[in-house]
Amino acid sequence: MWEHLNNAQLIRYLLLLTVGWAIVQALAYFERVLIVFIFAAILAFLLNSPVNFVSHFIPGWVGVVLVFLLAL
């Protein structure tokens, strides 16, 4: 296997490994922030349908507040 690899391929694989390691380290560093944003996005997605339904009967901002308070 090693006989078929030249220097350019070895450098490419080392750079890919380094970039992968850097991405993993960056995700680990921002783990808490990412978890909060992912949770907020899921919550917004789940509450969007009830807000749209309630907004047919009452003004939009009131529907948002009502659904939010009921979700708590």
Side-chain angles (χ1 to χ4, degrees):
M1 175 179 145
W2 295 106
E3 296 84 25
H4 300 293
L5 294 176
N6 58 21
N7 286 342
Q9 288 176 324
L10 287 174
I11 291 174
R12 182 183 310 139
Y13 291 137
L14 286 173
L15 285 174
L16 285 173
L17 180 70
T18 305
V19 168
W21 176 80
I23 289 172
V24 168
Q25 292 300 316
L27 289 175
Y29 183 75
F30 293 111
E31 178 182 9
R32 292 189 189 267
V33 175
L34 289 173
I35 289 173
V36 169
F37 276 109
I38 290 170
F39 180 72
I42 291 171
L43 188 64
F45 175 75
L46 292 175
L47 292 179
N48 188 32
S49 294
V51 168
N52 285 338
F53 178 73
V54 171
S55 294
H56 289 294
F57 306 109
I58 56 178
W61 68 272
V62 178
V64 169
V65 172
L66 181 68
V67 169
F68 179 74
L69 292 176
L70 287 175
L72 289 178

